[in-house]
Short mmCIF file of all heavy atoms in Angstrom, two decimals:
data_model
loop_
_atom_site.label_atom_id
_atom_site.label_comp_id
_atom_site.label_asym_id
_atom_site.label_seq_id
_atom_site.Cartn_x
_atom_site.Cartn_y
_atom_site.Cartn_z
N MET A 30 2.31 15.75 223.78
CA MET A 30 1.89 16.35 222.53
C MET A 30 1.05 15.33 221.75
O MET A 30 1.49 14.22 221.51
CB MET A 30 3.13 16.75 221.75
CG MET A 30 2.82 17.45 220.48
SD MET A 30 4.39 17.71 219.66
CE MET A 30 4.23 19.28 219.06
N ARG A 31 -0.13 15.73 221.33
CA ARG A 31 -1.01 14.83 220.57
C ARG A 31 -0.92 15.13 219.09
O ARG A 31 -0.86 16.27 218.68
CB ARG A 31 -2.46 15.08 221.00
CG ARG A 31 -2.86 14.32 222.21
CD ARG A 31 -4.25 14.70 222.59
NE ARG A 31 -5.21 13.81 221.97
CZ ARG A 31 -6.51 13.96 222.15
NH1 ARG A 31 -6.99 14.93 222.87
NH2 ARG A 31 -7.35 13.11 221.60
N LEU A 32 -0.89 14.05 218.33
CA LEU A 32 -0.91 14.22 216.87
C LEU A 32 -2.35 14.37 216.42
O LEU A 32 -3.25 13.67 216.88
CB LEU A 32 -0.30 13.00 216.18
CG LEU A 32 1.19 12.81 216.39
CD1 LEU A 32 1.64 11.52 215.71
CD2 LEU A 32 1.96 13.98 215.82
N ARG A 33 -2.55 15.29 215.56
CA ARG A 33 -3.91 15.52 215.03
C ARG A 33 -4.14 14.56 213.88
O ARG A 33 -3.34 14.49 212.95
CB ARG A 33 -4.02 16.96 214.54
CG ARG A 33 -5.37 17.29 214.04
CD ARG A 33 -5.46 18.78 213.73
NE ARG A 33 -6.71 19.02 213.08
CZ ARG A 33 -6.85 19.48 211.85
NH1 ARG A 33 -5.79 19.79 211.16
NH2 ARG A 33 -8.03 19.66 211.33
N GLN A 34 -5.19 13.83 213.95
CA GLN A 34 -5.52 12.90 212.88
C GLN A 34 -6.56 13.53 211.96
O GLN A 34 -7.51 14.14 212.43
CB GLN A 34 -6.07 11.59 213.44
CG GLN A 34 -5.03 10.81 214.20
CD GLN A 34 -5.59 9.47 214.65
OE1 GLN A 34 -6.78 9.23 214.59
NE2 GLN A 34 -4.71 8.62 215.12
N VAL A 35 -6.31 13.36 210.68
CA VAL A 35 -7.25 13.88 209.69
C VAL A 35 -8.28 12.80 209.43
O VAL A 35 -7.95 11.63 209.28
CB VAL A 35 -6.50 14.25 208.38
CG1 VAL A 35 -7.47 14.73 207.33
CG2 VAL A 35 -5.42 15.28 208.65
N SER A 36 -9.52 13.22 209.40
CA SER A 36 -10.58 12.23 209.21
C SER A 36 -10.47 11.61 207.81
O SER A 36 -10.02 12.26 206.87
CB SER A 36 -11.95 12.87 209.38
OG SER A 36 -12.22 13.73 208.30
N PRO A 37 -10.87 10.35 207.67
CA PRO A 37 -10.80 9.68 206.35
C PRO A 37 -11.58 10.43 205.28
O PRO A 37 -11.17 10.45 204.13
CB PRO A 37 -11.40 8.30 206.61
CG PRO A 37 -11.26 8.09 208.08
CD PRO A 37 -11.32 9.45 208.71
N SER A 38 -12.69 11.06 205.64
CA SER A 38 -13.48 11.76 204.63
C SER A 38 -12.70 12.96 204.07
O SER A 38 -12.79 13.26 202.89
CB SER A 38 -14.82 12.21 205.20
OG SER A 38 -14.61 13.11 206.27
N LYS A 39 -11.93 13.65 204.93
CA LYS A 39 -11.13 14.77 204.44
C LYS A 39 -9.99 14.26 203.56
O LYS A 39 -9.67 14.86 202.55
CB LYS A 39 -10.58 15.58 205.61
CG LYS A 39 -11.63 16.42 206.30
CD LYS A 39 -11.02 17.27 207.38
CE LYS A 39 -12.12 18.07 208.08
NZ LYS A 39 -11.55 18.90 209.17
N ASN A 40 -9.36 13.15 203.96
CA ASN A 40 -8.31 12.56 203.12
C ASN A 40 -8.86 12.19 201.75
O ASN A 40 -8.23 12.42 200.73
CB ASN A 40 -7.73 11.30 203.77
CG ASN A 40 -6.63 11.62 204.76
OD1 ASN A 40 -6.09 12.71 204.75
ND2 ASN A 40 -6.33 10.66 205.60
N ARG A 41 -10.02 11.62 201.73
CA ARG A 41 -10.65 11.20 200.48
C ARG A 41 -10.96 12.41 199.61
O ARG A 41 -10.76 12.38 198.40
CB ARG A 41 -11.93 10.41 200.78
CG ARG A 41 -12.44 9.67 199.56
CD ARG A 41 -13.54 8.70 199.90
NE ARG A 41 -13.13 7.85 201.00
CZ ARG A 41 -13.91 7.53 202.03
NH1 ARG A 41 -15.14 7.96 202.09
NH2 ARG A 41 -13.48 6.76 203.00
N ALA A 42 -11.43 13.49 200.21
CA ALA A 42 -11.74 14.70 199.45
C ALA A 42 -10.49 15.27 198.80
O ALA A 42 -10.51 15.66 197.64
CB ALA A 42 -12.39 15.75 200.36
N VAL A 43 -9.39 15.29 199.55
CA VAL A 43 -8.13 15.79 199.00
C VAL A 43 -7.65 14.87 197.88
O VAL A 43 -7.25 15.33 196.82
CB VAL A 43 -7.05 15.92 200.11
CG1 VAL A 43 -5.68 16.18 199.51
CG2 VAL A 43 -7.44 17.01 201.09
N ARG A 44 -7.73 13.57 198.11
CA ARG A 44 -7.29 12.60 197.10
C ARG A 44 -8.15 12.72 195.84
O ARG A 44 -7.64 12.71 194.73
CB ARG A 44 -7.35 11.18 197.67
CG ARG A 44 -6.73 10.15 196.78
CD ARG A 44 -6.58 8.78 197.42
NE ARG A 44 -7.72 8.36 198.22
CZ ARG A 44 -7.69 8.16 199.53
NH1 ARG A 44 -6.57 8.34 200.19
NH2 ARG A 44 -8.76 7.77 200.18
N ASN A 45 -9.46 12.88 196.01
CA ASN A 45 -10.35 13.01 194.84
C ASN A 45 -10.04 14.29 194.07
O ASN A 45 -10.06 14.30 192.85
CB ASN A 45 -11.81 13.00 195.28
CG ASN A 45 -12.27 11.62 195.70
OD1 ASN A 45 -11.62 10.62 195.39
ND2 ASN A 45 -13.37 11.56 196.42
N ARG A 46 -9.76 15.37 194.79
CA ARG A 46 -9.43 16.64 194.13
C ARG A 46 -8.12 16.49 193.36
O ARG A 46 -8.01 16.93 192.22
CB ARG A 46 -9.35 17.75 195.17
CG ARG A 46 -9.24 19.12 194.56
CD ARG A 46 -9.41 20.27 195.54
NE ARG A 46 -8.77 20.06 196.83
CZ ARG A 46 -9.43 20.00 197.98
NH1 ARG A 46 -10.74 20.12 198.01
NH2 ARG A 46 -8.78 19.82 199.12
N ASN A 47 -7.12 15.83 193.96
CA ASN A 47 -5.84 15.61 193.27
C ASN A 47 -6.02 14.71 192.05
O ASN A 47 -5.44 14.94 191.00
CB ASN A 47 -4.81 15.02 194.21
CG ASN A 47 -4.34 16.00 195.25
OD1 ASN A 47 -4.49 17.21 195.08
ND2 ASN A 47 -3.80 15.50 196.34
N THR A 48 -6.83 13.67 192.20
CA THR A 48 -7.09 12.76 191.08
C THR A 48 -7.81 13.48 189.96
O THR A 48 -7.47 13.31 188.79
CB THR A 48 -7.92 11.55 191.56
OG1 THR A 48 -7.20 10.88 192.59
CG2 THR A 48 -8.18 10.58 190.43
N ALA A 49 -8.76 14.31 190.31
CA ALA A 49 -9.50 15.06 189.29
C ALA A 49 -8.56 15.98 188.52
O ALA A 49 -8.63 16.07 187.29
CB ALA A 49 -10.63 15.85 189.92
N ALA A 50 -7.66 16.65 189.23
CA ALA A 50 -6.71 17.55 188.56
C ALA A 50 -5.78 16.76 187.65
O ALA A 50 -5.49 17.18 186.52
CB ALA A 50 -5.90 18.32 189.60
N TRP A 51 -5.35 15.61 188.13
CA TRP A 51 -4.45 14.75 187.35
C TRP A 51 -5.16 14.25 186.08
O TRP A 51 -4.61 14.30 184.98
CB TRP A 51 -4.02 13.61 188.26
CG TRP A 51 -3.11 12.60 187.66
CD1 TRP A 51 -1.80 12.77 187.36
CD2 TRP A 51 -3.44 11.26 187.31
NE1 TRP A 51 -1.29 11.60 186.84
CE2 TRP A 51 -2.27 10.66 186.80
CE3 TRP A 51 -4.60 10.51 187.38
CZ2 TRP A 51 -2.25 9.35 186.36
CZ3 TRP A 51 -4.57 9.20 186.94
CH2 TRP A 51 -3.41 8.64 186.44
N LEU A 52 -6.40 13.79 186.24
CA LEU A 52 -7.15 13.31 185.08
C LEU A 52 -7.45 14.44 184.10
O LEU A 52 -7.41 14.25 182.88
CB LEU A 52 -8.45 12.64 185.54
CG LEU A 52 -8.28 11.30 186.24
CD1 LEU A 52 -9.62 10.83 186.80
CD2 LEU A 52 -7.69 10.27 185.32
N TRP A 53 -7.74 15.63 184.62
CA TRP A 53 -7.99 16.78 183.75
C TRP A 53 -6.75 17.08 182.92
O TRP A 53 -6.85 17.34 181.72
CB TRP A 53 -8.39 18.01 184.57
CG TRP A 53 -8.62 19.20 183.70
CD1 TRP A 53 -9.77 19.54 183.06
CD2 TRP A 53 -7.65 20.18 183.33
NE1 TRP A 53 -9.59 20.68 182.32
CE2 TRP A 53 -8.28 21.09 182.47
CE3 TRP A 53 -6.32 20.38 183.65
CZ2 TRP A 53 -7.63 22.18 181.93
CZ3 TRP A 53 -5.66 21.47 183.10
CH2 TRP A 53 -6.32 22.36 182.24
N ALA A 54 -5.57 17.04 183.55
CA ALA A 54 -4.33 17.34 182.84
C ALA A 54 -4.08 16.32 181.73
O ALA A 54 -3.68 16.69 180.62
CB ALA A 54 -3.15 17.35 183.82
N ILE A 55 -4.33 15.05 182.01
CA ILE A 55 -4.17 14.01 180.98
C ILE A 55 -5.15 14.24 179.84
O ILE A 55 -4.79 14.20 178.67
CB ILE A 55 -4.35 12.60 181.58
CG1 ILE A 55 -3.19 12.27 182.51
CG2 ILE A 55 -4.47 11.56 180.48
CD1 ILE A 55 -3.37 10.99 183.27
N GLY A 56 -6.41 14.49 180.19
CA GLY A 56 -7.42 14.73 179.16
C GLY A 56 -7.10 15.93 178.30
O GLY A 56 -7.26 15.92 177.08
N ASN A 57 -6.62 17.00 178.93
CA ASN A 57 -6.27 18.20 178.19
C ASN A 57 -5.10 17.94 177.25
O ASN A 57 -5.11 18.37 176.10
CB ASN A 57 -5.94 19.33 179.18
CG ASN A 57 -5.91 20.68 178.51
OD1 ASN A 57 -6.75 20.97 177.68
ND2 ASN A 57 -4.94 21.49 178.87
N SER A 58 -4.10 17.21 177.72
CA SER A 58 -2.95 16.87 176.89
C SER A 58 -3.37 16.03 175.69
O SER A 58 -2.94 16.26 174.56
CB SER A 58 -1.91 16.13 177.72
OG SER A 58 -0.86 15.69 176.92
N LEU A 59 -4.23 15.04 175.93
CA LEU A 59 -4.71 14.20 174.83
C LEU A 59 -5.52 15.01 173.82
O LEU A 59 -5.40 14.79 172.62
CB LEU A 59 -5.55 13.05 175.38
CG LEU A 59 -4.77 11.98 176.14
CD1 LEU A 59 -5.73 10.99 176.78
CD2 LEU A 59 -3.79 11.27 175.23
N LYS A 60 -6.32 15.94 174.30
CA LYS A 60 -7.11 16.79 173.40
C LYS A 60 -6.20 17.62 172.50
O LYS A 60 -6.43 17.72 171.29
CB LYS A 60 -8.05 17.69 174.19
CG LYS A 60 -8.92 18.57 173.30
CD LYS A 60 -9.71 19.56 174.11
CE LYS A 60 -10.57 20.44 173.25
NZ LYS A 60 -9.90 21.08 172.14
N VAL A 61 -5.16 18.20 173.09
CA VAL A 61 -4.21 19.00 172.30
C VAL A 61 -3.54 18.14 171.25
O VAL A 61 -3.43 18.53 170.09
CB VAL A 61 -3.18 19.67 173.23
CG1 VAL A 61 -2.02 20.27 172.44
CG2 VAL A 61 -3.83 20.73 174.10
N GLN A 62 -3.11 16.94 171.63
CA GLN A 62 -2.47 16.05 170.67
C GLN A 62 -3.44 15.61 169.58
O GLN A 62 -3.09 15.55 168.40
CB GLN A 62 -1.89 14.84 171.39
CG GLN A 62 -0.73 15.17 172.28
CD GLN A 62 -0.23 13.97 173.07
OE1 GLN A 62 -0.53 12.83 172.73
NE2 GLN A 62 0.52 14.22 174.11
N TYR A 63 -4.67 15.32 169.96
CA TYR A 63 -5.67 14.90 168.97
C TYR A 63 -5.96 16.04 168.00
O TYR A 63 -6.05 15.82 166.79
CB TYR A 63 -6.96 14.46 169.68
CG TYR A 63 -8.04 14.06 168.73
CD1 TYR A 63 -8.04 12.81 168.12
CD2 TYR A 63 -9.06 14.95 168.39
CE1 TYR A 63 -9.03 12.44 167.23
CE2 TYR A 63 -10.04 14.60 167.50
CZ TYR A 63 -10.02 13.33 166.92
OH TYR A 63 -10.99 12.99 166.03
N ASP A 64 -6.12 17.24 168.52
CA ASP A 64 -6.40 18.39 167.66
C ASP A 64 -5.26 18.63 166.69
O ASP A 64 -5.48 18.98 165.53
CB ASP A 64 -6.65 19.65 168.50
CG ASP A 64 -7.98 19.60 169.24
OD1 ASP A 64 -8.82 18.73 168.91
OD2 ASP A 64 -8.17 20.42 170.16
N ALA A 65 -4.02 18.44 167.14
CA ALA A 65 -2.86 18.64 166.26
C ALA A 65 -2.87 17.61 165.13
O ALA A 65 -2.54 17.93 163.99
CB ALA A 65 -1.57 18.54 167.05
N VAL A 66 -3.26 16.39 165.43
CA VAL A 66 -3.30 15.34 164.41
C VAL A 66 -4.48 15.55 163.47
O VAL A 66 -4.38 15.30 162.28
CB VAL A 66 -3.36 13.95 165.08
CG1 VAL A 66 -3.60 12.86 164.05
CG2 VAL A 66 -2.08 13.67 165.83
N ALA A 67 -5.58 16.02 164.00
CA ALA A 67 -6.79 16.18 163.21
C ALA A 67 -6.68 17.32 162.21
O ALA A 67 -7.37 17.33 161.20
CB ALA A 67 -8.00 16.41 164.13
N THR A 68 -5.80 18.29 162.46
CA THR A 68 -5.64 19.41 161.55
C THR A 68 -4.90 18.94 160.31
O THR A 68 -3.80 18.41 160.41
CB THR A 68 -4.83 20.54 162.23
OG1 THR A 68 -5.48 20.88 163.44
CG2 THR A 68 -4.74 21.76 161.34
N PRO A 69 -5.51 19.11 159.13
CA PRO A 69 -4.84 18.63 157.91
C PRO A 69 -3.61 19.48 157.59
O PRO A 69 -3.57 20.68 157.82
CB PRO A 69 -5.91 18.78 156.83
CG PRO A 69 -6.88 19.77 157.36
CD PRO A 69 -6.80 19.70 158.85
N LEU A 70 -2.58 18.80 157.07
CA LEU A 70 -1.37 19.49 156.66
C LEU A 70 -1.56 20.07 155.26
O LEU A 70 -2.24 19.47 154.42
CB LEU A 70 -0.19 18.51 156.60
CG LEU A 70 0.36 17.96 157.90
CD1 LEU A 70 1.45 16.94 157.62
CD2 LEU A 70 0.89 19.07 158.76
N PRO A 71 -0.95 21.20 154.99
CA PRO A 71 -0.96 21.70 153.61
C PRO A 71 -0.29 20.67 152.70
O PRO A 71 0.61 19.94 153.13
CB PRO A 71 -0.13 22.99 153.69
CG PRO A 71 -0.18 23.39 155.13
CD PRO A 71 -0.30 22.12 155.91
N THR A 72 -0.70 20.63 151.47
CA THR A 72 -0.23 19.63 150.51
C THR A 72 1.29 19.63 150.39
O THR A 72 1.92 18.57 150.41
CB THR A 72 -0.85 19.88 149.12
OG1 THR A 72 -2.26 19.95 149.27
CG2 THR A 72 -0.51 18.77 148.15
N ARG A 73 1.89 20.78 150.30
CA ARG A 73 3.35 20.87 150.14
C ARG A 73 4.07 20.32 151.38
O ARG A 73 5.05 19.59 151.26
CB ARG A 73 3.75 22.34 149.89
CG ARG A 73 5.23 22.57 149.77
CD ARG A 73 5.78 22.01 148.47
NE ARG A 73 7.22 22.26 148.42
CZ ARG A 73 8.11 21.35 148.08
NH1 ARG A 73 7.72 20.15 147.72
NH2 ARG A 73 9.37 21.65 148.05
N LEU A 74 3.57 20.67 152.55
CA LEU A 74 4.18 20.17 153.79
C LEU A 74 4.01 18.66 153.90
O LEU A 74 4.94 17.95 154.30
CB LEU A 74 3.57 20.88 154.99
CG LEU A 74 4.17 20.55 156.35
CD1 LEU A 74 5.67 20.80 156.36
CD2 LEU A 74 3.49 21.36 157.44
N ALA A 75 2.85 18.14 153.54
CA ALA A 75 2.62 16.69 153.59
C ALA A 75 3.58 15.96 152.65
O ALA A 75 4.11 14.90 152.99
CB ALA A 75 1.18 16.38 153.21
N ALA A 76 3.84 16.55 151.47
CA ALA A 76 4.78 15.94 150.52
C ALA A 76 6.20 15.93 151.10
O ALA A 76 6.93 14.94 150.94
CB ALA A 76 4.75 16.69 149.20
N LEU A 77 6.59 17.00 151.78
CA LEU A 77 7.92 17.04 152.38
C LEU A 77 8.06 16.01 153.50
O LEU A 77 9.10 15.34 153.61
CB LEU A 77 8.21 18.45 152.92
CG LEU A 77 8.47 19.52 151.87
CD1 LEU A 77 8.54 20.90 152.52
CD2 LEU A 77 9.75 19.23 151.11
N VAL A 78 7.03 15.87 154.32
CA VAL A 78 7.06 14.88 155.40
C VAL A 78 7.19 13.48 154.82
O VAL A 78 7.98 12.66 155.28
CB VAL A 78 5.81 15.00 156.30
CG1 VAL A 78 5.70 13.83 157.25
CG2 VAL A 78 5.84 16.31 157.07
N GLU A 79 6.42 13.20 153.78
CA GLU A 79 6.49 11.88 153.13
C GLU A 79 7.88 11.63 152.55
O GLU A 79 8.43 10.53 152.67
CB GLU A 79 5.43 11.79 152.04
CG GLU A 79 5.33 10.41 151.42
CD GLU A 79 4.19 10.30 150.43
OE1 GLU A 79 3.21 11.06 150.55
OE2 GLU A 79 4.29 9.44 149.54
N GLN A 80 8.47 12.66 151.95
CA GLN A 80 9.81 12.52 151.38
C GLN A 80 10.83 12.21 152.49
O GLN A 80 11.69 11.34 152.33
CB GLN A 80 10.20 13.80 150.66
CG GLN A 80 11.55 13.77 150.00
CD GLN A 80 11.89 15.08 149.31
OE1 GLN A 80 11.12 16.03 149.35
NE2 GLN A 80 13.05 15.14 148.69
N LEU A 81 10.73 12.89 153.62
CA LEU A 81 11.65 12.64 154.73
C LEU A 81 11.48 11.23 155.29
O LEU A 81 12.47 10.57 155.61
CB LEU A 81 11.43 13.68 155.83
CG LEU A 81 11.92 15.09 155.53
CD1 LEU A 81 11.47 16.05 156.61
CD2 LEU A 81 13.44 15.09 155.40
N GLU A 82 10.25 10.77 155.40
CA GLU A 82 10.01 9.42 155.90
C GLU A 82 10.57 8.37 154.95
O GLU A 82 11.12 7.37 155.38
CB GLU A 82 8.52 9.21 156.15
CG GLU A 82 8.01 9.98 157.35
CD GLU A 82 6.50 9.89 157.54
OE1 GLU A 82 5.80 9.39 156.63
OE2 GLU A 82 6.04 10.32 158.60
N THR A 83 10.44 8.61 153.65
CA THR A 83 10.98 7.69 152.66
C THR A 83 12.51 7.64 152.75
O THR A 83 13.11 6.56 152.73
CB THR A 83 10.56 8.12 151.24
OG1 THR A 83 9.13 8.14 151.17
CG2 THR A 83 11.10 7.19 150.18
N GLN A 84 13.13 8.81 152.88
CA GLN A 84 14.59 8.85 153.02
C GLN A 84 15.05 8.14 154.29
O GLN A 84 16.05 7.43 154.28
CB GLN A 84 15.08 10.30 153.02
CG GLN A 84 14.97 10.99 151.69
CD GLN A 84 15.30 12.47 151.78
OE1 GLN A 84 15.57 13.00 152.86
NE2 GLN A 84 15.28 13.14 150.64
N LYS A 85 14.32 8.31 155.36
CA LYS A 85 14.65 7.66 156.63
C LYS A 85 14.59 6.14 156.46
O LYS A 85 15.48 5.41 156.91
CB LYS A 85 13.70 8.12 157.72
CG LYS A 85 14.00 7.56 159.08
CD LYS A 85 13.01 8.11 160.11
CE LYS A 85 13.21 7.50 161.46
NZ LYS A 85 12.26 8.01 162.46
N ALA A 86 13.53 5.65 155.81
CA ALA A 86 13.39 4.22 155.59
C ALA A 86 14.52 3.69 154.71
O ALA A 86 15.07 2.61 154.96
CB ALA A 86 12.04 3.92 154.96
N GLU A 87 14.88 4.45 153.69
CA GLU A 87 15.97 4.03 152.80
C GLU A 87 17.30 3.97 153.54
O GLU A 87 18.11 3.06 153.32
CB GLU A 87 16.07 4.98 151.60
CG GLU A 87 14.93 4.83 150.62
CD GLU A 87 14.91 5.90 149.54
OE1 GLU A 87 15.70 6.88 149.63
OE2 GLU A 87 14.10 5.77 148.62
N ARG A 88 17.54 4.92 154.45
CA ARG A 88 18.77 4.90 155.24
C ARG A 88 18.82 3.69 156.16
O ARG A 88 19.86 3.07 156.36
CB ARG A 88 18.91 6.19 156.05
CG ARG A 88 19.38 7.38 155.23
CD ARG A 88 19.82 8.54 156.12
NE ARG A 88 18.78 9.00 157.02
CZ ARG A 88 17.92 9.98 156.77
NH1 ARG A 88 17.97 10.61 155.61
NH2 ARG A 88 17.01 10.32 157.65
N LYS A 89 17.67 3.31 156.73
CA LYS A 89 17.62 2.13 157.60
C LYS A 89 17.96 0.88 156.81
O LYS A 89 18.71 0.02 157.27
CB LYS A 89 16.23 1.98 158.23
CG LYS A 89 16.02 2.84 159.43
CD LYS A 89 14.69 2.51 160.07
CE LYS A 89 14.48 3.30 161.33
NZ LYS A 89 13.21 2.97 161.98
N ILE A 90 17.41 0.77 155.61
CA ILE A 90 17.68 -0.39 154.75
C ILE A 90 19.16 -0.44 154.39
O ILE A 90 19.80 -1.48 154.45
CB ILE A 90 16.79 -0.37 153.49
CG1 ILE A 90 15.33 -0.60 153.89
CG2 ILE A 90 17.25 -1.40 152.47
CD1 ILE A 90 14.33 -0.34 152.78
N ALA A 91 19.72 0.72 154.04
CA ALA A 91 21.13 0.78 153.66
C ALA A 91 22.02 0.42 154.84
O ALA A 91 23.01 -0.32 154.69
CB ALA A 91 21.48 2.17 153.13
N ALA A 92 21.69 0.90 156.03
CA ALA A 92 22.49 0.60 157.22
C ALA A 92 22.41 -0.89 157.54
O ALA A 92 23.41 -1.51 157.90
CB ALA A 92 22.02 1.42 158.41
N TYR A 93 21.23 -1.47 157.41
CA TYR A 93 21.06 -2.90 157.68
C TYR A 93 21.89 -3.71 156.67
O TYR A 93 22.57 -4.65 157.04
CB TYR A 93 19.59 -3.29 157.60
CG TYR A 93 19.37 -4.77 157.76
CD1 TYR A 93 19.47 -5.37 159.02
CD2 TYR A 93 19.09 -5.58 156.66
CE1 TYR A 93 19.28 -6.73 159.18
CE2 TYR A 93 18.90 -6.94 156.82
CZ TYR A 93 18.99 -7.51 158.07
OH TYR A 93 18.82 -8.86 158.22
N SER A 94 21.84 -3.33 155.40
CA SER A 94 22.59 -4.04 154.37
C SER A 94 24.09 -3.94 154.59
O SER A 94 24.84 -4.88 154.35
CB SER A 94 22.24 -3.49 152.99
OG SER A 94 20.88 -3.66 152.73
N PHE A 95 24.54 -2.78 155.07
CA PHE A 95 25.97 -2.56 155.31
C PHE A 95 26.48 -3.41 156.48
O PHE A 95 27.56 -3.96 156.42
CB PHE A 95 26.23 -1.07 155.59
CG PHE A 95 27.67 -0.75 155.87
CD1 PHE A 95 28.58 -0.70 154.83
CD2 PHE A 95 28.10 -0.51 157.16
CE1 PHE A 95 29.92 -0.40 155.07
CE2 PHE A 95 29.43 -0.22 157.40
CZ PHE A 95 30.34 -0.17 156.38
N HIS A 96 25.68 -3.51 157.52
CA HIS A 96 26.12 -4.23 158.73
C HIS A 96 25.80 -5.74 158.71
O HIS A 96 26.27 -6.46 159.55
CB HIS A 96 25.47 -3.61 159.97
CG HIS A 96 25.95 -2.23 160.24
ND1 HIS A 96 27.25 -1.94 160.60
CD2 HIS A 96 25.33 -1.02 160.16
CE1 HIS A 96 27.39 -0.64 160.75
NE2 HIS A 96 26.24 -0.06 160.49
N ARG A 97 25.02 -6.16 157.74
CA ARG A 97 24.65 -7.58 157.68
C ARG A 97 25.84 -8.41 157.20
O ARG A 97 26.48 -8.06 156.21
CB ARG A 97 23.47 -7.74 156.71
CG ARG A 97 22.80 -9.09 156.81
CD ARG A 97 21.62 -9.18 155.91
NE ARG A 97 22.14 -9.24 154.53
CZ ARG A 97 21.41 -9.05 153.46
NH1 ARG A 97 20.16 -8.73 153.56
NH2 ARG A 97 21.93 -9.12 152.26
N PRO A 98 26.13 -9.51 157.87
CA PRO A 98 27.25 -10.36 157.42
C PRO A 98 26.91 -11.00 156.08
O PRO A 98 25.75 -11.33 155.81
CB PRO A 98 27.37 -11.41 158.51
CG PRO A 98 26.11 -11.36 159.30
CD PRO A 98 25.48 -10.02 159.06
N PRO A 99 27.92 -11.15 155.22
CA PRO A 99 27.67 -11.78 153.90
C PRO A 99 27.21 -13.23 154.09
O PRO A 99 27.67 -13.93 154.97
CB PRO A 99 29.02 -11.72 153.19
CG PRO A 99 30.01 -11.26 154.20
CD PRO A 99 29.30 -10.80 155.41
N GLY A 100 26.26 -13.59 153.30
CA GLY A 100 25.76 -14.94 153.50
C GLY A 100 25.24 -15.55 152.33
O GLY A 100 24.83 -15.87 151.46
#
């Protein structure tokens, strides 16, 4: 029984097609993420996000102060 060998040019064509699909998927994902960031938030929503981020930072400071040994 003989094994059929695939020519290097056919292997390269398959690899290039797979690479192109992979790169397209990455590019498409980045475009979606960029578009989401580029869309401005409504003023009220932006204020709520800022408030949540401030509260998160305050909780981190409080947790650090609580766990820090007295010195």
